[in-house]
Amino acid sequence: MEEYKSEEEFLKNYDPKQYEQLSMTTDILVLSVSDQTQENYRKTSKKMMSILLVKRNNYPFKGKWCLPGGFLDVKKETLEQCAMRILKKETNLSHIYLEQLYTFDEIKRDPRMRVVSTSYVALVDKNKLTEMINQDASWFDITLIEEKDNLVDITLDNGEELITFQIKKTLKESTTDRYYFSISKNKSLAFDHPIVILSGLERIRNKINYTDIVFNMMPEYFTLGELQQVYEVILGKKLLDPAFRRIIADKVEKTNKMKTGEGHRPSVLFRYKRK
Amino acid sequence: MEEYKSEEEFLKNYDPKQYEQLSMTTDILVLSVSDQTQENYRKTSKKMMSILLVKRNNYPFKGKWCLPGGFLDVKKETLEQCAMRILKKETNLSHIYLEQLYTFDEIKRDPRMRVVSTSYVALVDKNKLTEMINQDASWFDITLIEEKDNLVDITLDNGEELITFQIKKTLKESTTDRYYFSISKNKSLAFDHPIVILSGLERIRNKINYTDIVFNMMPEYFTLGELQQVYEVILGKKLLDPAFRRIIADKVEKTNKMKTGEGHRPSVLFRYKRK
DNA sequence: CCAATAGTGTCTGTGAGACAGTATAAG
DNA sequence: CTTATACTGTCTCACAGACACTATTGG
């Protein structure tokens, strides 16, 4: 089944009837925070959001990157269990923050047959990743730029490869605050995954202010500067120190540990405080 | 297929293989606002949230009430189009506010076979309902009471029949702000619809403060008192007049119409002002 | 000392909460 | 005149935004 020379040939030989008429998959947006160490010894390492992608070695979209995902085992598992299973397979992580994002169901979103995909967002702390993942998987740093005219440019960078795509946000008919997304530029990502990614990033951005989800991406001990950087990178804007500290004051607790050796004043390490 | 005497007999004779292995449905939470006229001529009519339910005349759950919904036509339509089609069939309404809510996929949620259901919330203005709907459909007024211990009691009333159920909200493992819902009392509603209903009501409650969705349930002209009542019934609490008027000031515009004949001072009619 | 971040004190303006007061129709 | 709602004025308190200042390390 993997010997075809082109996507066209593959599709010509693909028989939808050998499967059920309708299938479901899950796609998982595995998000984490990465550090980019700076040349200047004084500067702190720069935080970025990063996302886990997998290189496809099967048709369709052979050779393109995509979100980790897979088919639902109809007899045995729920969609969330399916996502957990795939997450475990790719990252060897379990007990992870996992949240249903959206169900994508355009009729032609998968060229093989009708596939409806329910996407999930997983937030992980990279430091807990002991065994490395799947050979074909890789972490990409995310850069998101919101232009005028409701165009969003996203760049993903894993150090070797740059993936860029652009999404257009169009106001839904007779609304003032709801958009649908359409892909306006995309070369390297499979399926409708550009839209899934933007949806997930916006979900996290919205939730960061009224939930405690950030701490799923933080190590146990962190400085307030680090935490603030994560907020800034998710929200896409700078925050003022005193205001930030006021906001998160009751979510964290001081420990007696310090982070030193950074070329400037040491910082107290904090820990997430559950309510 | 409809001649069975009991649910057990029906299920015994039901052959899942005559269908595909996995099916998808949509369930639609059609929400609107109703008026309950008061005996006292001075008092304004009391607003309530109301929801459209359909009485099932097929197995499974024959005789119980459920959300309007139906199977996805895999070849022809998206889930949203499917929801629109059903909405049109039940209410004869189109161009309606429709928003994807959540995908419910418990393995045994449908006793026939594996059915995954993507639910939608529709907000409608009842006044636009010209032709009456399906014989088996009926509007139910909603009363929601949040008890201690994260128990939620919901009562639905269509004037003839009272439907009550209770849902328990349990904190998800290692979170402080995410719950899953389980049905703790339910006699009259089919499937997992109690959970769908509560999810939808919470979604609307959350969105009312940062979107303009309310106006989808309002007639073209309304008084600020009426609008405030709708907010109050959705949020489940009283609001202070001056604060409310400040908040919605830039979302509405005064017209030169008045509402009179109410046994007290007349009220200016407003209209939704798009930004 | 310098560069860079850590961490705090405090002013100011905005805006929500609260309450009280005035306005005006039907009966 | 009464009742019920419509609508407005204004005080207060909390808090986000803003800025300035002090503290502390490695080199």
Side-chain angles (χ1 to χ4, degrees):
Chain A
M1 174 180 152
E2 296 307 323
E3 277 67 44
Y4 304 108
K5 294 206 184 65
S6 71
E7 178 138 349
E8 288 69 35
E9 188 188 341
F10 162 77
L11 284 173
K12 205 166 60 188
N13 286 280
Y14 189 90
D15 176 19
K17 291 205 186 100
Q18 78 185 91
Y19 300 97
E20 312 100 51
Q21 252 195 293
L22 166 69
S23 289
M24 286 201 72
T25 59
T26 56
D27 292 313
I28 312 157
L29 217 60
V30 189
L31 298 177
S32 189
V33 173
S34 66
D35 291 282
Q36 287 204 322
T37 39
Q38 300 291 65
E39 58 305 334
N40 181 340
Y41 82 99
R42 286 190 196 279
K43 288 214 168 183
T44 51
S45 63
K46 195 176 154 206
K47 300 264 179 222
M48 300 200 70
M49 289 285 287
S50 62
I51 183 172
L52 189 70
L53 295 182
V54 181
K55 193 156 210 162
R56 289 186 64 82
N57 47 31
N58 294 0
Y59 288 109
F61 300 107
K62 188 167 178 173
K64 300 208 172 187
W65 292 92
C66 71
L67 298 171
F71 282 90
L72 175 69
D73 184 333
V74 172
K75 296 240 163 90
K76 285 187 197 154
E77 59 188 3
T78 63
L79 288 160
E80 186 170 316
Q81 286 162 355
C82 174
M84 283 290 191
R85 170 171 62 75
I86 290 160
L87 205 56
K88 173 90 182 166
K89 192 182 76 186
E90 300 285 350
T91 64
N92 204 34
L93 287 173
S94 37
H95 300 291
I96 286 301
Y97 180 92
L98 193 67
E99 163 182 337
Q100 187 182 306
L101 175 61
Y102 197 81
T103 297
F104 294 91
D105 71 319
E106 282 299 312
I107 296 180
K108 294 285 180 194
R109 59 178 293 286
D110 189 310
R112 290 167 291 190
M113 58 181 293
R114 184 75 191 268
V115 177
V116 174
S117 178
T118 298
S119 51
Y120 284 81
V121 176
L123 302 181
V124 305
D125 166 18
K126 260 190 192 174
N127 306 303
K128 287 196 185 130
L129 276 175
T130 48
E131 296 185 45
M132 199 33 199
I133 40 182
N134 176 344
Q135 294 277 3
D136 296 314
S138 176
W139 288 101
F140 286 75
D141 285 336
I142 304 172
T143 310
L144 186 151
I145 296 165
E146 190 123 19
E147 295 180 39
K148 299 148 203 166
D149 321 322
N150 291 318
L151 287 172
V152 180
D153 287 300
I154 296 182
T155 304
L156 307 178
D157 179 1
N158 72 342
E160 299 172 359
E161 207 165 331
L162 266 187
I163 296 177
T164 62
F165 52 90
Q166 188 182 60
I167 289 165
K168 186 172 186 190
K169 295 164 72 168
T170 310
L171 213 50
K172 287 205 179 187
E173 187 201 0
S174 75
T175 62
T176 57
D177 41 27
R178 294 176 71 212
Y179 295 91
Y180 62 84
F181 298 163
S182 51
I183 302 170
S184 57
K185 287 180 196 164
N186 173 41
K187 279 186 201 155
S188 317
L189 270 185
F191 303 104
D192 49 6
H193 291 182
I195 291 174
V196 184
I197 291 172
L198 180 57
S199 305
L201 294 175
E202 294 207 338
R203 168 79 61 94
I204 298 306
R205 184 161 68 211
N206 287 330
K207 285 191 102 165
I208 195 176
N209 283 320
Y210 63 94
T211 65
D212 293 356
I213 48 171
V214 223
F215 299 105
N216 294 291
M217 291 187 278
M218 301 302 292
E220 183 171 4
Y221 298 100
F222 49 82
T223 70
L224 295 187
E226 290 166 349
L227 184 61
Q228 185 172 342
Q229 274 198 61
V230 175
Y231 270 78
E232 288 172 346
V233 88
I234 291 174
L235 294 171
K237 64 179 181 192
K238 285 277 164 205
L239 302 176
L240 293 168
D241 298 6
F244 178 73
R245 279 158 191 262
R246 277 190 301 240
I247 290 166
I248 49 103
D250 53 346
K251 295 184 178 183
V252 296
E253 62 188 2
K254 210 179 251 189
T255 67
N256 51 18
K257 296 182 168 58
M258 300 284 282
K259 182 172 188 179
T260 55
E262 296 287 301
H264 48 77
R265 177 172 170 182
S267 180
V268 175
L269 287 165
F270 284 75
R271 185 200 281 162
Y272 174 44
K273 187 174 78 184
R274 288 197 166 71
K275 267 162 273 177
Chain B
M1 176 182 153
E2 296 307 321
E3 277 67 44
Y4 305 109
K5 295 206 184 65
S6 71
E7 179 137 349
E8 289 69 36
E9 188 188 340
F10 162 77
L11 284 172
K12 206 166 62 189
N13 286 281
Y14 189 90
D15 176 19
K17 291 202 186 102
Q18 77 183 92
Y19 302 95
E20 313 99 50
Q21 253 193 292
L22 166 69
S23 289
M24 286 201 72
T25 59
T26 56
D27 292 312
I28 312 157
L29 216 60
V30 188
L31 298 177
S32 188
V33 173
S34 66
D35 291 284
Q36 288 205 322
T37 39
Q38 300 291 62
E39 57 305 330
N40 181 340
Y41 81 100
R42 285 192 197 279
K43 289 212 168 183
T44 51
S45 62
K46 195 177 154 205
K47 300 266 179 220
M48 299 201 71
M49 289 285 287
S50 61
I51 182 171
L52 189 70
L53 296 180
V54 181
K55 192 155 211 163
R56 289 186 62 81
N57 46 31
N58 294 0
Y59 288 108
F61 299 108
K62 187 169 178 172
K64 300 209 174 188
W65 292 93
C66 71
L67 299 171
F71 283 90
L72 174 70
D73 184 333
V74 171
K75 298 241 164 88
K76 286 188 197 153
E77 59 187 3
T78 63
L79 288 160
E80 186 169 316
Q81 286 162 355
C82 175
M84 283 290 191
R85 170 173 61 76
I86 291 160
L87 205 56
K88 174 90 182 168
K89 193 182 75 185
E90 301 285 349
T91 65
N92 203 33
L93 288 173
S94 39
H95 301 291
I96 285 302
Y97 180 92
L98 193 68
E99 162 182 339
Q100 187 182 304
L101 175 61
Y102 197 81
T103 297
F104 295 91
D105 72 319
E106 281 299 312
I107 296 180
K108 294 286 181 192
R109 58 179 294 286
D110 189 311
R112 289 167 292 189
M113 58 180 294
R114 184 73 190 269
V115 178
V116 174
S117 178
T118 298
S119 50
Y120 285 80
V121 176
L123 302 181
V124 305
D125 167 17
K126 260 190 193 175
N127 306 303
K128 286 194 186 134
L129 276 173
T130 48
E131 296 186 46
M132 197 35 198
I133 40 182
N134 176 344
Q135 295 276 1
D136 297 315
S138 176
W139 288 101
F140 287 75
D141 286 335
I142 304 173
T143 310
L144 186 152
I145 296 163
E146 191 123 19
E147 293 179 40
K148 301 147 203 165
D149 322 322
N150 291 318
L151 288 172
V152 181
D153 287 300
I154 296 182
T155 305
L156 307 178
D157 180 0
N158 72 342
E160 299 171 359
E161 207 165 331
L162 266 185
I163 296 178
T164 62
F165 52 89
Q166 188 182 60
I167 289 165
K168 187 173 184 186
K169 296 165 70 168
T170 310
L171 214 50
K172 287 206 179 187
E173 187 199 0
S174 74
T175 63
T176 57
D177 41 27
R178 295 176 69 214
Y179 295 90
Y180 63 84
F181 299 162
S182 51
I183 302 170
S184 56
K185 287 180 197 164
N186 172 42
K187 278 184 201 157
S188 317
L189 270 185
F191 303 104
D192 49 6
H193 290 182
I195 291 174
V196 184
I197 291 172
L198 181 57
S199 305
L201 294 176
E202 294 207 339
R203 167 79 61 92
I204 298 305
R205 184 161 67 211
N206 287 331
K207 286 191 101 165
I208 195 175
N209 284 320
Y210 64 93
T211 66
D212 293 356
I213 47 170
V214 221
F215 299 105
N216 294 291
M217 292 186 277
M218 300 302 290
E220 184 171 4
Y221 299 99
F222 48 83
T223 71
L224 295 186
E226 289 165 350
L227 184 61
Q228 185 172 341
Q229 273 198 62
V230 174
Y231 270 78
E232 288 173 346
V233 88
I234 291 174
L235 294 171
K237 65 179 180 192
K238 284 277 164 204
L239 301 175
L240 294 168
D241 298 5
F244 177 74
R245 278 158 192 263
R246 276 190 301 241
I247 291 166
I248 48 102
D250 53 347
K251 296 184 177 182
V252 295
E253 62 187 0
K254 210 180 252 189
T255 68
N256 51 17
K257 296 184 171 56
M258 299 284 282
K259 183 174 188 180
T260 55
E262 296 287 300
H264 49 77
R265 176 172 171 182
S267 178
V268 175
L269 286 165
F270 284 75
R271 183 200 282 161
Y272 174 43
K273 187 175 76 185
R274 288 196 165 71
K275 267 163 274 176

